[in-house]
Amino acid sequence: MGVDFGRRDIAVTSTGKSWSGKEIQDKRDKFNRVRASLQKKATLGTRSTRRRARNILKRLSGRERRYQAWLNHNISKAIINEAKQSQSLIAIEDLTGIRARTNQKPRNKTERRRSNSWAFYQLRQFLEYKGIKEGIEILAVNPAYTSQTCHGCLHIGLRNNKSFKCSNKACGWIGDADNNGSLMIALVGLSVNQPRGSELLACPIDSRATESLRCTLASA
Ligand SMILES: [Zn+2]
């Protein structure tokens, strides 16, 4: 079972489940607007106003943190439960790649704050912790190419925001980019888990990565 983490959707699984990031994003934006105005009061107001503003700020950050933790707890619980029922192992992307990917394009301040404040680390920690508890194996796969590779034929495709288009004329798969990503992660996880999958791990991740993945999958 592959799980793709993203900004628009917090998580998308290869089995077709997804958790929208819209609600928490709206909440975050609201927190940030209130925070900005409180911070102004905390520096410019009278002494008692400043103290009050500081207290509210502290309370707000606690509330935001707890909401994030609650959300990540629910998502990881649902994913682990599904893996347990279908006796699957879970493949996720190595997190260092997510930040690199979401920070690829130059964006405005709001967008940067959004991508950097996502609590992917916590979600992964929860998944790993619950995985150990429930006996579900979690694999972190190298994210190189998973978002640009077609899960159907392993050719490089074009990713345009929400949609993915395979460049291989013989395949021509078109669909949801996150869906393709999660299926690719599942596929890489599966190949790594094969007895001969270490061949894939031994391959340097460069322009030949897709080629070697194709070979590994063929021989597995
Ligand atoms: Zn294809």
Side-chain angles (χ1 to χ4, degrees):
M1 185 175 162
V3 183
D4 189 24
F5 298 134
R7 277 186 305 132
R8 198 175 5 239
D9 287 318
I10 301 169
V12 175
T13 70
S14 57
T15 53
K17 291 206 177 62
S18 68
W19 288 266
S20 168
K22 193 179 180 314
E23 196 180 333
I24 188 156
Q25 202 60 78
D26 289 349
K27 257 186 215 281
R28 274 236 178 80
D29 288 345
K30 198 177 138 207
F31 274 131
N32 278 297
R33 277 197 303 274
V34 175
R35 186 177 296 136
S37 104
L38 279 168
Q39 260 154 2
K40 215 173 183 179
K41 286 199 180 97
T43 45
L44 300 173
T46 62
R47 191 188 246 181
S48 68
T49 313
R50 289 205 301 270
R51 197 176 53 226
R52 253 206 326 272
R54 274 201 306 272
N55 283 339
I56 298 170
L57 273 170
K58 216 189 269 173
R59 221 163 49 221
L60 269 181
S61 78
R63 219 199 288 171
E64 187 180 357
R65 232 183 13 252
R66 282 192 299 277
Y67 179 73
Q68 175 74 65
W70 174 82
L71 197 65
N72 279 341
H73 171 73
N74 283 331
I75 295 171
S76 55
K77 196 167 117 185
I79 292 173
I80 293 286
N81 277 347
E82 192 183 336
K84 207 175 156 187
Q85 269 165 26
S86 57
Q87 302 207 313
S88 309
L89 60 88
I90 296 171
I92 55 175
E93 275 183 309
D94 199 353
L95 284 162
T96 43
I98 289 160
R99 184 152 298 186
R101 200 180 67 205
T102 53
N103 285 335
Q104 248 168 23
K105 287 182 228 150
R107 290 192 312 268
N108 62 34
K109 211 168 125 195
T110 313
E111 280 286 289
R112 275 203 307 275
R113 173 177 57 68
R114 282 177 165 183
S115 67
N116 289 333
S117 56
W118 274 111
F120 289 120
Y121 276 98
Q122 187 183 49
L123 183 54
R124 177 176 174 168
Q125 275 173 349
F126 283 9
L127 273 173
E128 287 177 343
Y129 165 74
K130 287 179 214 288
I132 291 168
K133 231 174 92 183
E134 301 290 339
I136 303 291
E137 209 177 327
I138 314 272
L139 284 173
V141 304
N142 192 312
Y145 299 105
T146 52
S147 66
Q148 295 148 37
T149 309
C150 172
H151 74 276
C153 67
L154 301 180
H155 279 73
I156 298 288
L158 290 171
R159 185 181 179 140
N160 187 2
N161 280 331
K162 194 100 184 94
S163 74
F164 179 91
K165 190 170 180 283
C166 178
S167 63
N168 175 13
K169 284 200 181 78
C171 167
W173 191 86
I174 299 174
D176 183 89
D178 292 334
N179 187 22
N180 179 65
S182 63
L183 286 161
M184 260 317 288
I185 294 165
L187 210 57
V188 177
L190 206 63
S191 77
V192 169
N193 198 43
Q194 299 290 332
R196 298 179 63 190
S198 53
E199 286 170 23
L200 178 67
L201 291 173
C203 294
I205 299 296
D206 55 18
S207 57
R208 287 164 301 168
T210 317
E211 205 55 50
S212 62
L213 172 60
R214 192 178 293 139
C215 298
T216 308
L217 289 170
S219 65

